[in-house]
Amino acid sequence: MSRLIRLDRAGHTELASWTAEDTKAQEAAVQAFRRELDEGMLASATLADGSAEVVRELPLDADLVVLRRPIAGG
């Protein structure tokens, strides 16, 4: 099962989960992902080798996609 989570003050919140067979859950995950990106979140997907990469589209084959706020600086 794949999961989309947002890092937040509670630690993290699961926004969606889906399987390869569940197209309705996939569509809901894509919508949640786009909504979060529109709000300024950044997304990273965990790769098979344990590393991660920044993504702009939801990789439905990823086990875990993490959303977080950009790091503020100045």
Side-chain angles (χ1 to χ4, degrees), residues 33-55:
F33 181 82
R34 289 184 182 149
R35 192 170 41 251
E36 294 292 321
L37 287 186
D38 288 346
E39 292 293 320
M41 300 295 275
L42 297 176
S44 298
T46 303
L47 303 176
D49 66 1
S51 65
E53 70 179 357
V54 174
V55 293

Side-chain angles (χ1 to χ4, degrees), residues 3-61:
R3 298 183 327 142
L4 174 65
I5 64 168
R6 178 182 58 223
L7 298 179
D8 53 30
R9 292 183 180 157
H12 73 274
T13 301
E14 184 172 303
L15 301 176
S17 61
W18 65 95
T19 62
E21 300 81 24
D22 191 346
T23 57
K24 284 189 178 190
Q26 289 177 1
E27 291 170 15
V30 168
Q31 289 176 2
F33 181 82
R34 289 184 182 149
R35 192 170 41 251
E36 294 292 321
L37 287 186
D38 288 346
E39 292 293 320
M41 300 295 275
L42 297 176
S44 298
T46 303
L47 303 176
D49 66 1
S51 65
E53 70 179 357
V54 174
V55 293
R56 298 289 302 154
E57 301 215 4
L58 182 64
L60 294 173
D61 60 340

